Amino acid sequence: MAALRGISHNLYTHISHPNPQLLFFFRGFSSKLFVKDISFSTTEETLAEAFSKFGEVTEAKIIRDKVRNRSKGYGYVSFAKEDEAKRALTNMNGKFLDGRAIFVDPARPSRHFDSAMQVARGPPEPAGDS
């Protein structure tokens, strides 16, 4: 019975005081928005102007095809404050910009890969002379 009490106490302590390392996986809202279905005629200036109604736009970036230098139809808008980004997300999602309905989502954090990490490519090399 004492063991059962100990287990329930440990479980309660773990639930009521979560491990801070577990919170590492929680993704909060960012002040950066992902905008898709952007018209090919939309410029970064017109994108920033459309979103500036909701707060200070720090950056508006349209992703371009490197070969043809043409818009890929999506981009990012960054705001100075998180609440401005939330307001823009709710108000601009589904709205028309340059003749196309755009869709707005919170931007996902970028994934940075360690370039020093080796990537497996083919079979392993044989160990040296033994």
Side-chain angles (χ1 to χ4, degrees), residues 124-130:
E125 294 183 18
D129 297 335
S130 303

Side-chain angles (χ1 to χ4, degrees), residues 68-97:
R68 294 185 293 168
N69 196 28
R70 188 178 118 178
S71 168
K72 288 188 171 185
Y74 66 93
Y76 298 91
V77 178
S78 298
F79 284 88
K81 297 180 183 172
E82 190 176 302
D83 63 322
E84 297 170 345
K86 285 181 182 178
R87 199 167 46 246
L89 176 110
T90 57
N91 289 306
M92 288 297 288
N93 193 25
K95 297 291 192 250
F96 281 87
L97 178 64

Side-chain angles (χ1 to χ4, degrees):
M1 186 68 157
L4 186 57
R5 243 182 273 132
I7 291 171
S8 66
H9 175 70
N10 287 341
L11 182 62
Y12 173 76
T13 304
H14 181 69
I15 292 171
S16 62
H17 304 291
N19 184 348
Q21 292 174 343
L22 294 177
L23 296 177
F24 174 78
F25 295 105
F26 173 77
R27 276 195 253 162
F29 195 85
S30 171
S31 61
K32 191 173 190 177
L33 300 175
F34 174 72
V35 185
K36 59 185 175 182
D37 290 342
I38 297 173
S39 170
F40 295 118
S41 63
T42 301
T43 64
E44 291 178 350
E45 291 77 24
T46 57
L47 185 64
E49 185 180 323
F51 279 84
S52 65
K53 298 180 238 176
F54 306 102
E56 181 187 347
V57 174
T58 57
E59 181 185 30
K61 178 107 175 119
I62 294 177
I63 306 304
R64 304 183 89 57
D65 184 320
K66 292 178 184 176
V67 176
R68 294 185 293 168
N69 196 28
R70 188 178 118 178
S71 168
K72 288 188 171 185
Y74 66 93
Y76 298 91
V77 178
S78 298
F79 284 88
K81 297 180 183 172
E82 190 176 302
D83 63 322
E84 297 170 345
K86 285 181 182 178
R87 199 167 46 246
L89 176 110
T90 57
N91 289 306
M92 288 297 288
N93 193 25
K95 297 291 192 250
F96 281 87
L97 178 64
D98 292 336
R100 289 189 72 171
I102 58 170
F103 297 96
V104 185
D105 292 311
R108 293 183 183 164
S110 60
R111 296 180 181 150
H112 296 288
F113 295 103
D114 185 8
S115 61
M117 182 188 302
Q118 294 182 357
V119 178
R121 300 186 192 277
E125 294 183 18
D129 297 335
S130 303

